Amino acid sequence: MRLSAVRRKRLMWAFLVLVGAGLGAWMMLQALQKNVMYFYSVSELLEQPASSEKTVRLGGVVAAGSLRQGQGVKVFFDLTDYQKSIPVVYEGLLPSLFREGQGVVATGQLMDEGRFVASQLLAKHDENYMPPEVAAGLKKAEP
Amino acid sequence: MAFLRELAWETRSQWRLLLTDPKALLNPLLFFILITVLFPLTLGHRPALLAEVAPGLLWVGVTLSVFLILPNLFFTDLQDGTLRLWVASGRALPVYVVAKWVTHWAFFVLPLVVVAPLLGQALYLDLSVSWLMITLLGLGSFAMLGIGAVGVSVMQKGRYNPFVLAVLVLPFYVPILVFGASGVSSLTGAGLFEHGLLFLAGLVIFILFLAPWAASQMLKLTVAQS
Amino acid sequence: MNRFWRWSLQWGQPAMLYQRLLRLQPWVATLAIIFLLVGGYTAFWLAPADYQQGEVFRILYVHVPAAWLSMMVYGAMVGLALLVFIWQVTIAGWAMKTFAWLGAGYTLIALVTGAIWGQPTWGTWWVWDARLTSELVLLFIYLGIVLIFDVLADARAAARMAAILTLVGSVNLPIIHYSVIWWHTLHQPPSIRGLETSMHWSMLYPLLLMALAFLLVFVWQVVWHLRCRVLMEARHTPWLAKRLRSLNQSGENG
């Protein structure tokens, strides 16, 4: 197909713009892959250089059998990602979804002795939805 | 290559135009310094708090200053007919947009970016990171000015409304602010700096290729209307 | 093929468009109401309570369709923007304005219901995670497009400018969709991915019904708005006068 000089030039520019914008977009995606986590997982936080000053968010699952009630509204529990776990202290109101085996995101500081002191606790619900009977049936089916 | 030569020529002439009134660069600079100084005054003398929020404050300060610079880009040319001549002449409008963008950034915004680490000092931010901070702020503000150029070319001088411009432009600043601020705060803490830098560099390239085209389309329509 | 093309192009003529919208409207309206009633009944009475969240989870039957629609409308607007920008279809510009208004509305519904859902389940109304932030940015982009139509007197120029803004803003769409997959967010990942789902069937089918109902309501709104717009724009053209005359005559006869 033969194109007039003007159209050929315009096509060339469109191509150049697409390539340039694509390169930029690719670089941004590269950066996005690893950045802006709303929270760290347990293992990720333990790999970080410890600094008790910094406020971070920690996400994980409340380990089964670790929940203990302290004085008043204080609770102790372990957050785990099924590989490593961190003991957490939290004082305040618990979200209604909070229970053992449930995902939560805690905001607070990792102290030098390895204890995470949370100032805010948010429950993270997962993408599974089922009626209670089905959930009970599933639980029974598991060994 | 003719394109690049034309761009260089146009950039030089725009630069000379700006230099005819050199003290104009003080306006955004003073604005930036003043709003940044307001924060320690209102938040009280709390060094730890100020140091923690300083990157965010500096970024917001630069954003607002850039936002106020936007009307300088095209409005005089719209009013005195220069832009109409450009469109009528058939010369490539993106050349004009890029020249305006680069010169205005170098003239008005670069001084802010250079001053930012010093202001950071007043907010108890560690100065050892100033070069990296200048790099991040420089890339981010350059991208902001490019995005803003697209937004501001929607408006004519008579219909310029800063609130409408804010709704048009500020949403697109969100990723710059998120990555820029987290990049700067990472300088004093755990390292995500390279990601912030990579993201902003990618964004600048992305906008460098798209914004001149988009802005010149908008300008053409604006000129046709006036 | 020829007939199909002619049929598609006729959508661009105000007179034909008006006829078709008028014929379409009762069907769409009836279907929308039926689906809303059936979907609402299944969603709010028949569907069982969730094993974790209890009754609160039912907000999803409003939240998810609204959120889907907020993105689908934007996707459709990208198509309209291309029509405006490349082929300069006037009516696509009219439709864009309607779409932007409605899209902003559905985005707002998604954000508000999400906040109401977040309070009891997460324990907070709002967090600045990637999903919520990018959806908020979507709302602002919609409002920006609405403002362009509002500020500029020349409708044709406004449509072209809004088209450019729509195309530029479309980078946000994949970010919204993939935000919950790429990053750790407080917002959970999607329950439906392609044909796979992590929702029990008894809860899934009301969601699909509600999504269809929302879509139909949206189409209904578009048909209604667009019809009014065609009348507004055509108030000085002969076909409308002719049509009004024929309406009058049939009124006198009947």
Side-chain angles (χ1 to χ4, degrees), chain C residues 84-152:
Chain C
V84 167
F85 197 73
I86 299 176
W87 292 285
Q88 315 199 344
V89 183
T90 316
I91 285 170
W94 304 350
M96 262 184 83
K97 187 178 177 183
T98 307
F99 274 48
W101 270 109
L102 295 173
Y106 286 109
T107 312
L108 193 64
I109 293 176
L111 286 171
V112 170
T113 51
I116 297 172
W117 194 4
Q119 170 56 26
T121 44
W122 296 341
T124 178
W125 298 96
W126 183 265
V127 289
W128 291 101
D129 83 342
R131 172 53 79 81
L132 277 67
T133 309
S134 54
E135 182 79 4
L136 187 66
V137 169
L138 181 70
L139 177 65
F140 287 133
I141 293 175
Y142 272 129
L143 291 180
I145 295 167
V146 166
L147 271 178
I148 285 191
F149 280 109
D150 238 37
V151 168
L152 297 175

Side-chain angles (χ1 to χ4, degrees), chain A residues 28-93:
Chain A
M28 284 190 273
L29 284 181
Q30 284 298 308
L32 287 176
Q33 290 284 303
K34 298 148 201 161
N35 207 343
V36 277
M37 300 300 177
Y38 183 70
F39 56 84
Y40 292 110
S41 76
V42 174
S43 304
E44 279 165 0
L45 188 69
L46 288 175
E47 281 166 21
Q48 297 261 331
S51 63
S52 56
E53 295 288 295
K54 233 174 128 98
T55 303
V56 290
R57 296 198 190 86
L58 169 67
V61 173
V62 181
S66 71
L67 184 61
R68 284 186 298 115
Q69 201 76 37
Q71 288 176 341
V73 286
K74 210 171 197 175
V75 285
F76 302 88
F77 57 90
D78 291 351
L79 268 188
T80 174
D81 61 355
Y82 299 116
Q83 283 157 19
K84 290 177 176 162
S85 66
I86 295 178
V88 180
V89 194
Y90 172 70
E91 193 165 1
L93 287 176

Side-chain angles (χ1 to χ4, degrees), chain A residues 29 32 35-39 44 95-97 99 102 105 122-132 134-135, chain C residues 48-53 117 120-122 124 127 129 182-189 191 198-200 202-203:
Chain A
L29 284 181
L32 287 176
N35 207 343
V36 277
M37 300 300 177
Y38 183 70
F39 56 84
E44 279 165 0
S96 63
L97 268 193
R99 62 199 66 149
Q102 177 69 38
V105 176
L122 299 176
K124 179 171 163 50
H125 68 86
D126 58 18
E127 67 269 36
N128 298 312
Y129 296 91
M130 53 184 124
V134 178
Chain C
D50 183 56
Y51 75 118
Q52 290 275 12
Q53 303 174 34
W117 194 4
T121 44
W122 296 341
T124 178
V127 289
D129 83 342
W182 286 342
W183 305 305
H184 297 318
T185 50
L186 190 60
H187 195 286
Q188 72 278 19
S191 298
S198 54
M199 249 178 133
H200 193 260
S202 61
M203 299 160 135

